[in-house]
Amino acid sequence: MRLIGVIDLAGGRAVHARRGVRARYAPVGVAAGCPIDGDPIALARTYVDRLGLAELYAADLDAIAAQPQSQKPGESPDLLPHETLITSLATVAPLWLDAAISSPARSRQALALGATRVVVGLETLESFDVLSAICAALDKTRVSSADPLRGIRPTVAFSLDLRDGVPIAPRLNIPSSQPGDLAARAVDAGVSAVIVLDLARVGEAIGPDVAMVTRVRASAPGTTLIAGGGIRGLADLVRLAEAGCDGALVATALHDGRIGAEDVRGLRHVSKSL
């Protein structure tokens, strides 16, 4: 069971996400007893050095809010709002990057900044043809580090963005918006991982939507499955593992100490015991 520490970036600061209401996010003050004061690198170091995490997930909220238009072939993408920070974070641990990646050029840009997992979010996705093009482009630019869980080298993950279980897809025009169908289409497009992320649960400590995770697992049986939103502690992580989840995105429970270094060490053995 892999645990991935989340760093939400806004205005150059690490902020505490809650319910997806981004205008109200405040800088992270303390994590695992360490002063952070909104410093993304300090938060990353706390995750890795103090808590023992092996992977990081950065969401560039300024890029997501801007939702840039897709680039034409041969056209260079605009700079990401937090390029310097992203590059620095990628030196701390393998980095999953969610930054409104909506074109092959933007995905290659993310890899150039040091990301080892490029996250394409449903919230900013224009079409599954675009997702297929991103997967095809990065298939020729494999990262060097092998996936520690499955022994493969995934570069593209699809974030199934939800709010109260309803897909967030303002730019996507498709006949079916059922979460399971969307996950299956993403797998068909070539992604190596699917993230079930319910923004209404983020930062709320109300528990993950295990039923949703179970349904998505049935639709994407052979794909790495990650869950995020509402995770309260070790018991929730065990429930997710039992539902077929391979890992989790966590922030709040790491910040306030409900998941500590001993729990992180124990999680490495959860999957083996199921």
Side-chain angles (χ1 to χ4, degrees):
M1 185 69 174
R2 67 206 292 177
L3 199 62
I4 305 167
V6 176
I7 302 172
D8 289 300
L9 301 173
R13 311 294 285 169
V15 296
H16 185 195
R18 301 196 67 171
R19 290 191 59 81
V21 185
R22 292 167 182 147
R24 299 182 183 178
Y25 291 179
V28 176
V30 176
C34 299
I36 301 300
D37 298 325
D39 183 345
I41 304 302
L43 182 56
R45 286 293 180 192
T46 297
Y47 284 157
V48 174
D49 298 339
R50 188 177 182 88
L51 293 172
L53 299 188
E55 296 174 272
L56 301 173
Y57 181 106
D60 188 334
L61 301 180
D62 294 344
I64 293 170
Q67 294 195 12
Q69 298 296 315
S70 297
Q71 286 79 43
K72 297 178 181 178
E75 185 179 23
S76 297
D78 296 332
L79 295 177
L80 288 170
H82 296 100
E83 287 202 346
T84 300
L85 270 176
I86 290 166
T87 300
S88 297
L89 290 172
T91 67
V92 178
L95 182 68
W96 300 56
L97 178 61
D98 182 358
I101 294 165
S102 56
S103 70
R106 178 71 89 181
S107 63
R108 287 190 290 266
Q109 180 185 26
L111 285 187
L113 293 175
T116 52
R117 308 284 187 272
V118 172
V119 180
V120 179
L122 178 63
E123 183 179 357
T124 55
L125 182 64
E126 290 185 342
S127 73
F128 281 99
D129 287 342
V130 170
L131 182 57
S132 295
I134 291 171
C135 292
L138 294 196
D139 189 57
K140 302 174 183 177
T141 318
R142 290 295 190 183
V143 294
S144 59
S145 59
D147 183 294
L149 187 68
R150 297 186 179 275
I152 58 176
R153 296 170 178 169
T155 55
V156 182
F158 172 66
S159 181
L160 180 57
D161 300 325
L162 309 168
R163 187 180 297 279
D164 291 318
V166 178
I168 305 171
R171 308 175 75 185
L172 200 59
N173 183 17
I174 55 173
S176 173
S177 60
Q178 293 299 313
D181 293 341
L182 295 173
R185 290 198 63 176
V187 172
D188 289 342
V191 304
S192 297
V194 172
I195 302 165
V196 180
L197 179 62
D198 197 316
L199 295 180
R201 294 173 180 265
V202 169
E204 291 299 287
I206 59 176
D209 189 343
V210 177
M212 177 65 73
V213 168
T214 301
R215 291 196 295 272
V216 173
R217 169 49 82 203
S219 298
T223 303
T224 297
L225 184 61
I226 308 293
I231 294 169
R232 296 163 293 191
L234 187 60
D236 283 337
L237 295 170
V238 172
R239 289 171 62 220
L240 287 170
E242 291 172 342
C245 204
D246 299 306
L249 303 179
V250 184
T252 304
L254 296 171
H255 298 173
D256 62 21
R258 282 174 292 147
I259 297 176
E262 185 174 345
D263 298 318
V264 173
R265 287 192 293 271
L267 281 170
R268 295 170 185 162
H269 308 289
V270 168
S271 293
K272 296 179 181 179
S273 66
L274 293 175

